[in-house]
């Protein structure tokens, strides 16, 4: 133990010690759910946390007789890693690595502080892989739900403010739900299908393979094909000569195989039907929430207050989810989502009041 250390410093070192151990467990839990390169990367991160653990043990003079509990955020991360092992855990871990206190702690080495910054980038890279896999259908799902919440809340607030019968508010809400969900689903289907068709139109094919053997080895335009696919001029000329020279034995697909592969975007675009269905369902699931008070027979101020409370919770949840997955602060994103949704509802509610007074 460092003889000149204070009781406060030892408590802080002990906290660092248990947090490093907890973070190492998180990475090992995640590694157990993965294979190949991702597993090796997560195990290497766990080993790095153990190195940091050794540093605090050395300062403490060995294992303390009593240790504090890991921080709540770290314990929550460990619980999620054990039970889910999802992209959310990596997103939370990314935020945790970004908040490392080692930059300002004189007892942490500069190497440890540097390690934490690198860990943040490594975890962000792992999380980015998951985000790319989720981006197509998940984007449609989250933003479909948010659109349903905001648009139907604004609709029922505006209609309800005019003073019409509760049955009319309910009918308007259901009509808005169906119209919006069908529109969202159709729009997502057209968008994703069009994007896939555009990508397909840019992929190499074997259209000209059968004429390769007739080209002049020294005077031909095959190199231009490869240059349009992104090859440098010299590399394109070399590839063209090689393919023409081997045209008799290369077989079908020689030209299609040349150039730069362009199918990486396909995974990001996602399925047109999947995006359409999730957009429809999630818009509908969001849009039904503002209507629930009227479905269960409430009316007037009680229905309005209940709708605002239900939608507020849902907006906070969708905002926090987007914040987590984007690696940003979830609370800030949640409050922003809430402000946007309630702002739209306030505008239509005021317009409804004005319209109701005018008609009355």
């Amino acid at each position: 133990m460092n003889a000149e250390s204070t009781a406060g410093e030892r408590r802080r070192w002990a906290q660092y010690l248990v947090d490093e151990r907890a973070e190492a467990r998180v990475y090992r839990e995640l590694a157990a759910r993965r294979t190949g390169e991702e597993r090796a990367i997560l195990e290497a991160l766990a080993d790095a946390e153990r190195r940091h653990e050794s540093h605090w043990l050395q300062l403490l003079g060995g294992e303390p007789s009593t240790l504090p509990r890991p921080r709540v955020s770290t314990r929550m991360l460990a619980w999620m890693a054990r039970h889910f092992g999802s992209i959310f855990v990596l997103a939370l871990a990314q935020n945790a690595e970004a908040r490392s206190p080692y930059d300002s702690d004189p007892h942490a080495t500069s190497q440890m502080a540097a390690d934490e910054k690198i860990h943040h980038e490594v975890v962000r890279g792992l999380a980015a892989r998951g985000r790319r896999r989720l981006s197509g259908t998940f984007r449609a799902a989250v933003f479909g739900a948010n659109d349903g919440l905001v648009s139907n809340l604004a609709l029922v607030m505006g209609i309800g403010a005019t003073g019409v019968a509760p049955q009319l508010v309910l009918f308007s809400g259901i009509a808005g739900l169906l119209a919006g969900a069908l529109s969202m689903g159709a729009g997502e289907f057209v968008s994703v299908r069009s994007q896939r068709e555009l990508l397909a139109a840019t992929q190499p094919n074997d259209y000209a393979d059968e004429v390769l053997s007739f080209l002049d080895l020294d005077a031909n335009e095959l190199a231009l094909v490869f240059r349009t696919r992104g090859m440098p001029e010299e590399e394109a000329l070399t590839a063209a000569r090689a393919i023409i020279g081997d045209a008799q034995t290369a077989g079908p697909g020689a030209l299609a195989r040349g150039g730069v592969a362009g199918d990486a975007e396909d995974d990001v675009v996602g399925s047109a039907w999947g995006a359409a269905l999730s957009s429809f369902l999630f818009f509908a699931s969001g849009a039904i929430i503002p209507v629930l008070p009227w479905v269960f027979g409430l009316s007037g101020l009680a229905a309005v207050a209940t709708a605002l409370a239900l939608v507020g919770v849902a907006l906070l949840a969708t905002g926090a989810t987007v914040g987590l997955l984007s690696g940003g602060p979830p609370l800030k994103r949640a409050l922003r989502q809430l402000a946007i949704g309630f702002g739209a509802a306030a505008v239509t509610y005021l317009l409804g009041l004005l319209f109701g007074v005018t008609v009355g």
Side-chain angles (χ1 to χ4, degrees), residues 234-285:
E234 291 301 320
E235 188 178 339
L237 288 170
T238 302
R241 282 179 165 274
I243 286 180
I244 295 173
D246 296 340
Q248 299 297 330
T249 57
L255 183 55
R257 289 191 300 268
V260 179
D263 59 355
E265 297 91 341
D266 191 58
D267 292 335
V268 177
V269 174
S271 160
W273 281 110
L277 181 61
S278 38
S279 185
F280 177 91
L281 292 176
F282 279 85
F283 184 97
S285 66

Side-chain angles (χ1 to χ4, degrees), residues 24-44:
R25 284 196 297 272
V26 168
Y27 291 132
R28 294 205 185 279
E29 292 282 355
L30 290 174
R33 293 173 175 266
R34 284 166 169 74
T35 59
E37 184 182 36
E38 287 192 11
R39 181 170 187 160
I41 291 171
L42 288 163
E43 288 176 343

Side-chain angles (χ1 to χ4, degrees), residues 34 80 85-95 123-143 317-331 333-334 336:
R34 284 166 169 74
M80 291 181 67
S86 68
I87 177 63
F88 290 98
V89 181
L90 287 171
L92 285 168
Q94 174 186 332
N95 289 335
V123 175
R124 184 169 69 168
L126 290 173
R129 294 186 179 192
R131 291 185 186 111
R132 283 193 291 270
R133 288 192 289 265
L134 284 173
S135 60
T137 302
F138 183 81
R139 175 183 57 84
V142 169
F143 293 106
T318 57
T321 299
V322 172
L324 282 175
L325 290 178
S326 64
L331 180 59
R333 298 296 203 288
R336 182 181 68 183

Side-chain angles (χ1 to χ4, degrees), residues 130-284:
R131 291 185 186 111
R132 283 193 291 270
R133 288 192 289 265
L134 284 173
S135 60
T137 302
F138 183 81
R139 175 183 57 84
V142 169
F143 293 106
N146 186 69
D147 284 348
L149 286 165
V150 174
S151 64
N152 232 28
L153 177 66
L155 176 64
V156 298
M157 289 294 103
I159 296 293
T162 62
V164 299
Q167 293 83 355
L168 185 55
V169 178
L170 176 60
F171 174 78
S172 300
I174 297 299
L177 182 157
L178 289 173
L182 288 169
S183 175
M184 288 287 292
E188 279 296 329
F189 181 86
V190 171
S191 173
V192 176
R193 177 58 65 88
S194 299
Q195 194 171 358
R196 279 185 167 276
E197 290 170 353
L198 286 171
L199 286 173
T202 66
Q203 298 304 305
N205 58 46
D206 59 359
Y207 172 75
D209 269 18
E210 61 185 21
V211 302
L212 292 177
S213 59
F214 299 103
L215 292 175
D216 187 312
L217 185 63
D218 297 314
N220 64 79
E221 287 74 46
L222 183 59
L224 299 180
V225 174
F226 297 139
R227 288 170 67 182
T228 64
R229 298 177 186 174
M231 271 193 181
E233 182 177 358
E234 291 301 320
E235 188 178 339
L237 288 170
T238 302
R241 282 179 165 274
I243 286 180
I244 295 173
D246 296 340
Q248 299 297 330
T249 57
L255 183 55
R257 289 191 300 268
V260 179
D263 59 355
E265 297 91 341
D266 191 58
D267 292 335
V268 177
V269 174
S271 160
W273 281 110
L277 181 61
S278 38
S279 185
F280 177 91
L281 292 176
F282 279 85
F283 184 97

